[in-house]
Amino acid sequence: MGSRVQSGLPGLDKLLEGGFPPGKVVLVLGEPGTGKSILASQYLMWGLTSAHENGVFIGMNESKDRYVSEMKGLGMDFEPFEKDNKFGFVDATDIRRIPDQARVGRIPVGGRELGLVNLVDTIQEAAEKFVPKRIAIDSISDLVFRFPEVEQRRPVILDLVEALQSTGSTCVMTSEVTSTGTERTLQPEEYLAEGVIQLKTLQKGGRSIQVLKMRGSKIDIKPRPYVISEKGIEVLATEEIY
Ligand SMILES: Nc1ncnc2c1ncn2[C@@H]1O[C@H](COP(=O)(O)OP(=O)(O)O)[C@@H](O)[C@H]1O
Ligand SMILES: [Mg+2]
């Protein structure tokens, strides 16, 4: 594959044959605290600072203020870019608060479906406003957990992935995994995404990152160590996990 979108995370592109496939959706899986939000933010911040690429963060679990101050603590200040309309934070936390029995006017509608429609609209509006090259959606767990059955979940993820890809930007989508390990069943988000990256906290201490899939790429599928510091995530791409 030709051109790549650099992830902006030190070391990660070495595992990816140069970066993410342009215009596609890459899923980042990991338990809470593994650094999914940091990864998504570093991806956007690198675009803003090193490539003059606009970015949009779709925050599904936290308010803008909390997000901005959290990332400031990791050396990423989104505020100046927001003022210049180069960065947009979309507060999508309302979507999960829509009750299962919702109404549009007097017409009862499925709240779960309404949440999805709202989210797709929100993505399109943000894409028109900011014309981003990079979008991060963090995280889709609350949305997709409302559709526990794979048959219900598949069209939801498909709509979401299509909405993201229709913007033309390259997207990082994060999701919490409930169970890790080999017996874990493949979720629709994993096969519908172009690539899947998994973050793990190791029982013996330390952290590991593994590229599980990236269509059309010669990836390094070995788990590699990564560290989180006040400068964010760094992938130790040539080191082994022992
Ligand atoms: N300055 C820092 N130095 C080291 N680790 C940090 C620092 N700031 C945050 N972390 C680590 O980052 C993790 C949180 O990252 P985050 O992206 O919010 O995780 P997730 O989104 O996967 O829940 C925590 O485990 C925390 O220990
Ligand atoms: Mg998070």
Side-chain angles (χ1 to χ4, degrees), residues 36-38 61-62 138-139 174 176:
K36 299 180 298 298
S37 301
I38 298 174
N61 350 327
E62 60 198 337
D138 180 55
S139 88
T174 73
E176 239 130 67

Side-chain angles (χ1 to χ4, degrees), residues 1-45:
M1 196 190 251
S3 64
R4 289 304 167 114
V5 174
Q6 284 173 262
S7 69
L9 278 86
L12 179 57
D13 294 345
K14 290 201 187 94
L15 310 182
L16 298 170
E17 216 189 346
F20 298 142
K24 304 291 185 189
V25 177
V26 172
L27 177 70
V28 176
L29 291 175
E31 286 168 353
T34 49
K36 299 180 298 298
S37 301
I38 298 174
L39 186 156
S41 306
Q42 258 178 279
Y43 167 68
L44 295 181
M45 186 48 88

Side-chain angles (χ1 to χ4, degrees), residues 7-181:
S7 69
L9 278 86
L12 179 57
D13 294 345
K14 290 201 187 94
L15 310 182
L16 298 170
E17 216 189 346
F20 298 142
K24 304 291 185 189
V25 177
V26 172
L27 177 70
V28 176
L29 291 175
E31 286 168 353
T34 49
K36 299 180 298 298
S37 301
I38 298 174
L39 186 156
S41 306
Q42 258 178 279
Y43 167 68
L44 295 181
M45 186 48 88
W46 192 91
L48 291 164
T49 54
S50 304
H52 299 290
E53 291 176 352
N54 287 7
V56 165
F57 186 93
I58 301 164
M60 306 284 289
N61 350 327
E62 60 198 337
S63 70
K64 183 175 89 180
D65 290 350
R66 211 183 122 181
Y67 172 75
V68 167
S69 78
E70 232 175 78
M71 291 309 153
K72 250 184 204 158
L74 288 150
M76 293 183 264
D77 188 359
F78 284 98
E79 267 174 342
F81 296 101
E82 193 194 19
K83 287 201 182 82
D84 286 350
N85 274 322
K86 294 186 163 108
F87 171 77
F89 181 97
V90 175
D91 186 334
T93 53
D94 278 353
I95 286 164
R96 64 176 173 187
R97 286 190 214 107
I98 300 172
D100 277 355
Q101 299 299 316
R103 279 168 188 279
V104 174
R106 293 201 188 110
I107 303 164
V109 293
R112 303 181 307 178
E113 289 75 13
L114 186 61
L116 177 68
V117 171
N118 283 355
L119 181 59
V120 166
D121 285 349
T122 299
I123 291 168
Q124 280 158 356
E125 279 166 30
E128 279 165 33
K129 185 170 174 203
F130 296 100
V131 199
K133 280 267 195 270
R134 294 168 182 242
I135 296 179
I137 178 164
D138 180 55
S139 88
I140 62 161
S141 306
D142 286 344
L143 177 79
V144 298
F145 288 164
R146 293 179 88 173
F147 301 87
E149 306 296 329
V150 170
E151 310 85 73
Q152 304 172 321
R153 196 159 170 170
R154 193 181 180 281
V156 171
I157 302 296
L158 196 55
D159 279 357
L160 186 57
V161 167
E162 277 177 2
L164 290 167
Q165 289 187 356
S166 74
T167 66
S169 62
T170 308
C171 306
V172 166
M173 177 164 90
T174 73
S175 186
E176 239 130 67
V177 280
T178 39
S179 62
T180 46

